[in-house]
Amino acid sequence: MTTHDITSIGLLHRQLFKAMQLEHATAPPYISALYSIHPGDNADAAQILRAVAVEEMLHLTIAANVMNAVGGTVDFTVAGFVPSYPTVLPDGEHDFEVGLGPFGKDALETYLKIERPAMAPRGQARHVQIKGGARHFISHPHDQTLRYYSIGEFYAAIRDGIVYLESEAKAKGKTIFTGDRAKQATAEYYYSGGGRLWPVFDVDSACRAIDLVIEQGEGELKQIFGAEGEIAHYYRFDQLQKGRYYQIGDQPGQPTGREIHVNWEAVWPIAVNLKLNKIPEKSELHAAVADFNKAYREFLAFLTRAFNGEPKLLLEAVPRMFEFRNRMQQLIRNPLPGGDCNAAPTYEI
Amino acid sequence: MSVSRRLETFVAFSAEVTAFTPTEVWGTGLTQRYLDTVDGVVGTAMTDALLNAFDRITTQSAGERTAKLRQTVFGCEQLGPVARAVVKLWYIGTWYALPAAWQERFGPAAQDGTFVPTPDAYVEGLLWSAIGAHPPGAKAQGFGSWQFPPGIPKF
Amino acid sequence: MSILDRRAIMVDPGVLKNSGHYDAIIVGSGVAGAIIANELAQAGKRVLIVEAATETDRSFKGYSSYLQHFYGQADKDNQSPFPVNRNADMPRSGQLRKLDPLEINSTSYIVQSGPYVTDTVYTRAFGGTTIHWEAKTPRMLPQDFQMQTLFGQGKDWPIRYHDLEVDYELAEREIGVSANVEDQQYLDITFRSSYVYPMHGLPLSYLDQRVAAQIDGSEVELYGERYPLRVRPFPQGRNAIPNQKYDGGKGYQPVGAVASHQIDVGGRCQGNTNCVPICPVQAKYHAGKTLAKAFDTGRVDLLSQAVASRVVIDSASGRVTGIETKLYHDPASPDHHTIMITGTLYVLAGNAIETPRLMLASGLRSSSGLMGCNLMDHAYLLNWALMPQICGTMRGTTCTGGIVELRGGAFRRHQATFSVDIHNDGWGWATGSPASDVVELVDAGNKFGADLRQAIIDRVSRQLLLAFMIEVLPSESNRVSVNPSYTDLLGNMRPVVSFTVPDYTLRGAAYARQFAKTVFARLGAEDHTKYDPSDYGFVTYEGEPFAIRGGNHLAGTHVMGTDKATSVVDTNQRCWDHDNLYLVGAGSMPTIGTANVTLTLAAMAFRSARNMIMQLGRLHAPVQT
Ligand SMILES: Cc1cc2nc3c(=O)[nH]c(=O)nc-3n(C[C@H](O)[C@H](O)[C@H](O)COP(=O)(O)OP(=O)(O)OC[C@H]3O[C@@H](n4cnc5c(N)ncnc54)[C@H](O)[C@@H]3O)c2cc1C
Ligand code: SF4
């Protein structure tokens, strides 16, 4: 095995597709949990979940920008892009599953696993041997028995791959950055208070973009706050578990900021990993959930267009996402017949 | 009526008088809260009277139901003002005090007054979805959404 | 850095014993005080901000508690997000009533001495009234600075548009204004070449577009001159799409929420239609954003729950020697203790009511005698109608567009100008819509079910409200004063307001009504306007009835001028009488034209801050031998 995981442009495209899949895959779980929280209660928990979900969207956009820059294809409509929940993560972390369900203590454990900091040093050690039955996602680009320890490791390998492939290409007087610049989504079309977006067209802009994803995600090298003072996802969630905010100067695991009170009860009891066929057919609720899935499928097609030369569509995507929020909230408050649980979108696309 | 039947009937009645579907009524997350509100103001006996009056006509056609509702609920000296208060509650999220004349005749309803049962009530007012808008200060529709024609839902 | 981590924010009053080392003491954390605090601190000066309010919205939790409080109120009045604090009270429109001749209403915080009752408000909260404002940010017209010279009305400013132009740009940067230069170049407004606003303009609402479709390109005639009409977007202090061309191509980075990165809520405006009274996502500028930068320097301290009660003067030199301040411990209790706060310079930034109130309560009337006089505020006249088609009212920011072509013109010799807002939030301001519509349709219309739902669509989605913001000129008898019989819980004298709507303004109002009728006719809109004689803002002019609303644009009460005899402050907003005291804010404005005052007062704050830094430099300069 070489020191580089990504040794061809084809592999790079494959890993970038997984990156997009990965960023997207975490959004429905976070958002389901977010809207399961009673409005008005748990303002801190809701805000933390919301901030993380919004940044996952940013990361998806960044991954798509990098993909477009290196001449790959962005297509969110291909079969299997949206996983069937519960699922393992596309980067190959197999020791836990991610699913759709209400906010709660168990869910929080899972979020901490999703966002766990990169622990391993560079190179081979960033992999872990896969134990037990691997699911449908390939982890290591060409060694099926390996996976990455964390999302950070997974992205670091992509970054290294880009640097390596570009230096190889340069040596031959070529470049891997062959994409159409008009496809880049930039800050005009997308921004939130927390994130920046810039066009990707060379090694430097690509690496900066990937570093931002790593930094906003788990935070590298045990840093709670990033360069711009933004707190990493892992530590955002850790605050909920510890019941206290971090402030600058704190040690990991020992936040000293304002207290957070989490009301674990003020949550709608949505069914875990609900499937459409569990809802009585021909019922109004069945139709509403099916309708949601259909609208979501159309939305992914719409986003695909946005990343294929029509970045302006991203502006219209925002109102659509707000519309999803309303629909989700509505479903989440509907009791399922005969049980103690409530409905939720199933994301069966 | 059993507790769950009671709630279901209240949802069905609410859907009928607001012209929103039961899924949408449940979707506010306020069904139990509002039933409690009505019970709290007029007492369970009068709420039951309202629900029973509605229950008796549920199998009729839509046109007949409307006519019957006018005669036996909205036109009823006792139940009419309560039914109207329920409609306003769903649409606006505020319980409006019952008329003084009603209080004199059928009161005292000790908990009566004009109030918002819970902050969510305002946010979930059906008025806003009816007009394809959103309650000011909540459920924003997104940057620039205002430049397009409103998406007024069909019903 | 997260504001939750900023140190040296809340100072312990005990520490103040040796506060003599503050270069400036600023009373008020509103936009005027915040800009000055930040400018001084960036220049290395030490600053103490004295703020009467508590500091609830410093954290996200505090901010969201405002929101929950707002949702939970049955009567969503203007100030409903802001809980009552009797130690630092504020006006609330719910407390008003019509006055009999010579009657005085002292039950509201502002004592209304009439004859006109104003429902104007301001907010005493951390960050001041911008937590509450709508954030329209037009510049004044160049002609507004020369009212006397050009039209023989009102006063001239001692400075011109040109003198303030660069400071307007600074204010637009600070507030983060979204607008397109090409839309704002009308009448005599000019921009420096290649200037662009920090962010692109917000799109006009669908309602604006329906109005524009019928009136753009049409004209009105006034005193023999023709004015073309057009619906134009307003410049706004809320986050939109950053303009990459800003700052010579460097672009603009929008300022996020105060509570910073822990919670990401300083995003792009989402169209919450709730800019007033509070923006749920902090897309709208408020002074907390400037204060956050100021605190970051580590040179700005904040003393909150501290009500400045008396400005103490050395009678020989006229210089301020300290500010007597009452510290209360609990908003629900009048218990307090009094301390003296001292510094090198003193800046009163309490707004155009509170600043003169404090000066007058300290016995400082200015040698011009003009302290508190010349109170101005825009007079609003509302006109409402139903459009012939569904317009999707109730969506977007409170207001995106309007008709501004009559902000200037030769007719100003005779009558007031106005700027017309097209309200995206329907008739709410005039009638309490849409709740009042539903109540009426249910109770009087006997509607329920599908009939009701359709009736609501027809009634609400077609609403058009034109709010005419009419110019008011300075008049010495319109004023703020104090009277020892009216005090607040802490024993501070409350503001007493005497106001008569000037005839010049009422002539403008009469024309505004006529103008509205013309516009409604061109739109085919059904006029529903009526003015109720029992309305507290009811006035008549030449037999015609009007209900005038307050504009929340208080100004004029410590007027700026060229000399000590005819003005209170100089062109840097420094008191003629007290050379280490600045009175900053709209109170310094000699006239207000038809510009919502905040952008201009922010621009003046930059100007004053520069002067303060120079003055401090002179005071501290090493003695030359
Ligand atoms: C509903 C509404 C809408 C508005 N819309 C617009 C608009 O669209 N465009 C526009 O330009 N303007 C608008 N305004 C006006 C704008 O908000 C004000 O002009 C601006 O906020 C004034 O800023 P300021 O710093 O001078 O005073 P303020 O913001 O009022 O701040 C004064 C501060 O001083 C504090 N203070 C007062 N007295 C004392 C004391 N004795 N001791 C200690 N502290 C004290 C107060 O608590 C407050 O924090 C609006 C206002 C309202 C109410
Ligand atoms: S429209 Fe909404 S999001 Fe935009 S500034 Fe106003 S309240 Fe904030």
Side-chain angles (χ1 to χ4, degrees):
Chain A
M1 183 178 149
T2 66
T3 41
H4 293 286
D5 294 350
I6 297 172
T7 48
S8 73
I9 194 82
L11 283 176
L12 178 61
H13 290 171
R14 209 153 97 192
Q15 291 307 85
L16 283 168
F17 178 75
K18 277 194 227 166
M20 296 190 300
Q21 221 177 356
L22 168 75
E23 296 300 349
H24 172 268
T26 53
Y30 286 150
I31 293 172
S32 298
L34 167 59
Y35 294 131
S36 75
I37 294 174
H38 291 181
D41 287 305
N42 287 329
D44 294 292
Q47 278 308 320
I48 286 174
L49 270 165
R50 194 188 149 273
V52 171
V54 167
E55 284 188 350
E56 302 296 2
M57 292 300 163
L58 177 71
H59 298 174
L60 177 62
T61 309
I62 288 176
N65 269 352
V66 177
M67 180 71 121
N68 272 329
V70 296
T73 312
V74 175
D75 187 353
F76 304 136
T77 65
V78 294
F81 177 75
V82 180
S84 165
Y85 295 99
T87 179
V88 291
L89 289 182
D91 64 335
E93 295 174 84
H94 278 75
D95 54 331
F96 64 95
E97 287 191 331
V98 178
L100 304 172
F103 174 69
K105 287 188 173 149
D106 293 347
L108 187 55
E109 290 286 347
T110 307
Y111 307 156
L112 285 165
K113 284 188 189 139
I114 297 176
E115 310 287 354
R116 64 186 160 199
M119 294 289 188
R122 286 286 147 88
Q124 291 189 20
R126 68 168 60 117
H127 310 120
V128 182
Q129 206 73 34
I130 290 178
K131 295 188 209 80
R135 289 277 209 114
H136 43 301
F137 289 119
I138 313 157
S139 42
H140 188 281
H142 45 77
D143 184 341
Q144 308 249 346
T145 64
L146 295 179
R147 65 168 173 86
Y148 293 100
Y149 176 77
S150 74
I151 297 178
E153 316 284 359
F154 167 78
Y155 273 109
I158 293 180
R159 182 181 54 199
D160 291 355
I162 290 174
V163 173
Y164 168 72
L165 291 174
E166 178 67 358
S167 69
E168 263 204 334
K170 278 246 171 83
K172 297 185 198 133
K174 293 184 182 158
T175 176
I176 61 168
F177 291 94
T178 56
D180 178 358
R181 272 197 67 171
K183 290 187 180 175
Q184 293 292 312
T186 47
E188 300 155 75
Y189 304 115
Y190 186 108
Y191 87 79
S192 71
R196 303 244 188 121
L197 204 54
W198 51 81
V200 174
F201 52 87
D202 59 9
V203 168
D204 177 57
S205 51
C207 288
R208 278 193 296 130
I210 290 171
D211 287 343
L212 180 78
V213 175
I214 297 175
E215 186 179 290
Q216 286 188 336
E218 45 283 352
E220 223 178 2
L221 303 172
K222 299 192 177 166
Q223 276 213 352
I224 301 174
F225 292 93
E228 288 175 34
E230 191 180 357
I231 180 165
H233 294 183
Y234 178 82
Y235 293 104
R236 284 184 198 257
F237 286 132
D238 192 38
Q239 303 176 119
L240 287 179
Q241 209 171 44
K242 302 274 178 341
R244 199 170 277 288
Y245 278 110
Y246 278 106
Q247 45 188 351
I248 292 203
D250 283 352
Q251 290 303 308
Q254 292 160 357
T256 63
R258 183 169 66 76
E259 214 182 321
I260 301 176
H261 177 72
V262 182
N263 180 354
W264 303 100
E265 305 305 310
V267 171
W268 297 102
I270 60 178
V272 175
N273 298 316
L274 182 68
K275 300 289 167 201
L276 196 54
N277 63 20
K278 292 280 169 356
I279 308 171
E281 218 171 323
K282 300 216 174 93
S283 68
E284 208 185 292
L285 196 54
H286 186 280
V289 173
D291 219 40
F292 180 94
N293 289 343
K294 178 166 166 278
Y296 196 73
R297 187 160 57 239
E298 288 165 4
F299 180 63
L300 288 175
F302 184 81
L303 278 186
T304 301
R305 275 175 58 205
F307 285 108
N308 280 279
E310 300 177 72
K312 274 212 164 96
L313 293 181
L314 287 174
L315 293 176
E316 281 173 56
V318 177
R320 288 191 180 210
M321 293 202 301
F322 284 110
E323 181 54 31
F324 282 122
R325 171 201 55 199
N326 297 349
R327 285 178 174 223
M328 267 182 109
Q329 284 182 332
Q330 213 170 62
L331 293 178
I332 281 171
R333 294 160 185 179
N334 264 270
L336 285 167
D340 303 325
C341 288
N342 280 14
T346 63
Y347 292 96
E348 293 161 281
I349 301 304
Chain B
M1 261 191 231
S2 72
V3 174
S4 65
R5 251 295 267 146
R6 217 172 163 261
L7 182 58
E8 274 164 33
T9 310
F10 179 65
V11 171
F13 171 73
S14 300
E16 178 86 26
V17 297
T18 58
F20 278 82
T21 65
T23 306
E24 289 165 326
V25 169
W26 282 112
T28 61
L30 292 166
T31 47
Q32 186 65 53
R33 185 78 188 227
Y34 281 2
L35 180 55
D36 294 347
T37 302
V38 184
D39 281 341
V41 176
V42 301
T44 49
M46 205 177 304
T47 313
D48 282 341
L50 179 73
L51 297 179
N52 284 325
F54 175 68
D55 213 27
R56 279 194 289 277
I57 59 167
T58 46
T59 53
Q60 304 187 346
S61 76
E64 282 166 353
R65 284 204 305 274
T66 302
K68 276 274 182 253
L69 276 171
R70 288 197 176 118
Q71 287 169 343
T72 62
V73 177
F74 287 91
C76 168
E77 289 160 295
Q78 186 183 30
L79 298 179
V82 181
R84 280 188 282 277
V86 172
V87 175
K88 288 180 276 185
L89 179 59
W90 278 114
Y91 266 97
I92 306 169
T94 300
W95 176 270
Y96 284 87
L98 295 163
W102 187 96
Q103 276 284 5
E104 267 168 39
R105 215 168 136 194
F106 305 106
Q111 311 239 11
D112 195 26
T114 296
F115 62 95
V116 179
T118 151
D120 313 345
Y122 165 71
V123 175
E124 297 299 334
L126 296 177
L127 152 68
W128 312 108
S129 10
I131 59 172
H134 64 97
K139 293 191 177 179
Q141 294 176 302
F143 182 79
S145 53
W146 54 82
Q147 64 191 304
F148 304 108
I152 294 181
K154 299 215 169 26
F155 58 99
Chain C
M1 230 221 286
S2 157
I3 195 164
L4 299 168
D5 313 309
R6 288 187 184 109
R7 284 170 198 85
I9 292 176
M10 178 66 183
V11 286
D12 177 355
V15 178
L16 288 173
K17 282 197 203 83
N18 43 13
S19 72
H21 61 281
Y22 285 115
D23 293 303
I25 306 293
I26 300 178
V27 174
S29 65
V31 52
I35 287 175
I36 288 171
N38 188 40
E39 291 300 299
L40 295 187
Q42 300 295 345
K45 308 299 176 200
R46 294 264 295 126
V47 175
L48 175 70
I49 300 178
V50 178
E51 171 54 57
T54 58
E55 39 168 354
T56 337
D57 57 322
R58 283 274 316 295
S59 69
F60 181 74
K61 206 161 176 185
Y63 196 90
S64 49
S65 79
Y66 280 163
L67 260 183
Q68 291 298 318
H69 200 260
F70 167 71
Y71 292 156
Q73 303 280 306
D75 175 17
K76 297 207 174 6
D77 112 313
N78 233 329
Q79 304 265 39
S80 55
F82 314 108
V84 173
N85 175 353
R86 299 288 302 282
N87 290 328
D89 215 345
M90 50 180 126
R92 291 178 191 262
S93 54
Q95 301 166 332
L96 300 177
R97 58 184 160 79
K98 201 166 156 56
L99 296 180
D100 290 330
L102 301 180
E103 192 197 1
I104 290 177
N105 176 3
S106 63
T107 58
S108 52
Y109 170 68
I110 293 185
V111 178
Q112 301 270 350
S113 129
Y116 169 73
V117 175
T118 175
D119 62 353
T120 206
V121 293
Y122 50 87
T123 302
R124 283 168 103 185
F126 174 78
T129 313
T130 47
I131 190 90
H132 180 166
W133 74 325
E134 189 202 316
K136 255 198 208 93
T137 49
R139 296 182 180 191
M140 298 209 356
L141 306 179
Q143 58 180 259
D144 291 336
F145 290 80
Q146 289 182 281
M147 284 301 291
Q148 188 53 243
T149 306
L150 298 175
F151 308 110
Q153 296 285 354
K155 292 176 192 285
D156 282 351
W157 281 54
I159 53 175
R160 298 279 172 81
Y161 179 84
H162 174 73
D163 299 312
L164 216 49
E165 190 166 3
V166 174
D167 290 322
Y168 267 139
E169 291 178 5
L170 292 176
E172 282 157 356
R173 172 194 289 263
E174 189 62 41
I175 290 173
V177 175
S178 299
N180 303 328
V181 164
E182 55 281 17
D183 295 327
Q184 305 306 327
Q185 272 166 328
Y186 58 88
L187 296 167
D188 49 347
I189 301 180
T190 55
F191 294 87
R192 293 203 300 171
S193 67
S194 84
Y195 180 69
V196 297
Y197 282 95
M199 289 173 274
H200 294 286
L202 280 92
L204 287 177
S205 69
Y206 184 67
L207 172 63
D208 293 329
Q209 297 169 40
R210 299 276 61 76
V211 174
Q214 284 298 108
I215 68 149
D216 275 15
S218 71
E219 290 184 336
V220 290
E221 196 187 302
L222 190 54
Y223 293 101
E225 277 181 62
R226 307 189 72 79
Y227 296 85
L229 302 188
R230 168 183 163 190
V231 174
R232 270 180 207 273
F234 283 108
Q236 314 215 30
R238 53 177 52 73
N239 291 342
I241 301 173
N243 192 334
Q244 310 288 355
K245 294 206 194 92
Y246 186 69
D247 201 2
K250 292 205 199 79
Y252 175 84
Q253 174 72 26
V255 181
V258 217
S260 146
H261 297 303
Q262 277 275 6
I263 32 260
D264 153 41
V265 283
R268 196 170 282 176
C269 166
Q270 305 178 346
N272 262 302
T273 331
N274 203 57
C275 320
V276 178
I278 185 165
C279 171
V281 297
Q282 306 194 44
K284 180 185 80 173
Y285 170 83
H286 61 84
K289 298 190 182 190
T290 299
L291 290 167
K293 284 191 282 182
F295 292 138
D296 263 353
T297 63
R299 285 185 285 276
V300 178
D301 292 342
L302 170 70
L303 186 63
S304 60
Q305 306 194 179
V307 185
S309 300
R310 195 163 65 92
V311 178
V312 183
I313 300 287
D314 169 47
S315 53
S317 64
R319 309 195 80 214
V320 179
T321 57
I323 294 186
E324 197 179 276
T325 301
K326 293 179 179 166
L327 302 173
Y328 61 90
H329 317 290
D330 175 356
S333 145
D335 288 349
H336 68 274
H337 69 278
T338 304
I339 59 169
M340 185 66 77
I341 294 176
T342 57
T344 307
L345 296 183
Y346 296 85
V347 182
L348 302 190
N351 78 37
I353 299 284
E354 292 295 331
T355 293
R357 184 208 65 74
L358 175 57
M359 290 296 283
L360 291 168
S362 311
L364 303 170
R365 307 187 49 235
S366 158
S367 14
S368 63
L370 291 176
M371 189 72 70
C373 296
N374 296 314
L375 175 64
M376 291 177 281
D377 182 13
H378 287 121
Y380 272 90
L381 184 74
L382 309 181
N383 288 271
W384 57 105
L386 280 184
M387 291 286 280
Q389 72 277 61
I390 299 284
C391 291
T393 313
M394 300 285 164
R395 301 174 311 136
T397 74
T398 305
C399 173
T400 36
I403 306 168
V404 292
E405 325 297 322
L406 283 106
R407 286 186 61 194
F411 63 87
R412 298 181 86 171
R413 292 203 158 275
H414 313 284
Q415 70 184 45
T417 55
F418 53 70
S419 164
V420 188
D421 300 349
I422 298 172
H423 264 254
N424 289 328
D425 56 353
W427 296 353
W429 194 3
T431 67
S433 221
S436 61
D437 299 315
V438 175
V439 169
E440 188 192 320
L441 291 168
V442 172
D443 287 348
N446 278 319
K447 293 202 189 313
F448 62 86
D451 291 347
L452 173 64
R453 192 164 163 181
Q454 189 56 49
I456 289 174
I457 296 169
D458 292 340
R459 166 59 86 83
V460 181
S461 275
R462 297 197 288 139
Q463 289 181 358
L464 169 67
L465 178 100
L466 299 181
F468 287 72
M469 183 176 93
I470 308 169
E471 176 184 27
V472 169
L473 292 176
S475 151
E476 283 185 21
S477 57
N478 285 341
R479 63 194 187 105
V480 185
S481 57
V482 292
N483 180 327
S485 352
Y486 308 120
T487 55
D488 68 10
L489 270 199
L490 292 182
N492 289 318
M493 284 189 263
R494 283 150 53 194
V496 178
V497 166
S498 320
F499 201 89
T500 304
V501 184
D503 276 357
Y504 181 79
T505 298
L506 287 174
R507 265 196 299 283
Y511 176 66
R513 179 75 190 115
Q514 193 187 323
F515 181 91
K517 286 180 178 168
T518 307
V519 168
F520 291 161
R522 288 179 190 172
L523 294 171
E526 207 175 286
D527 194 349
H528 283 248
T529 312
K530 58 173 184 294
Y531 305 116
D532 182 351
S534 67
D535 190 300
Y536 51 71
F538 190 81
V539 290
T540 53
Y541 177 71
E542 294 185 341
E544 233 196 303
F546 302 103
I548 302 282
R549 293 269 156 276
N552 309 311
H553 299 151
L554 297 155
T557 48
H558 42 82
V559 65
M560 168 195 286
T562 44
D563 65 78
K564 203 177 158 107
T566 60
S567 59
V568 179
V569 298
D570 67 13
T571 59
N572 293 310
Q573 306 190 81
R574 186 165 68 157
C575 278
W576 292 113
D577 290 356
H578 318 285
D579 78 2
N580 62 344
L581 177 65
Y582 289 78
L583 309 183
V584 300
S588 302
M589 294 169 69
T591 60
I592 54 177
T594 45
N596 314 53
V597 294
T598 310
L599 185 78
T600 303
L601 79 85
M604 295 193 306
F606 280 102
R607 181 183 171 94
S608 295
R610 267 195 312 275
N611 194 68
M612 290 173 203
I613 292 165
M614 265 165 52
Q615 188 179 356
L616 284 168
R618 276 199 306 276
L619 290 170
H620 294 172
V623 182
Q624 302 283 317
T625 49

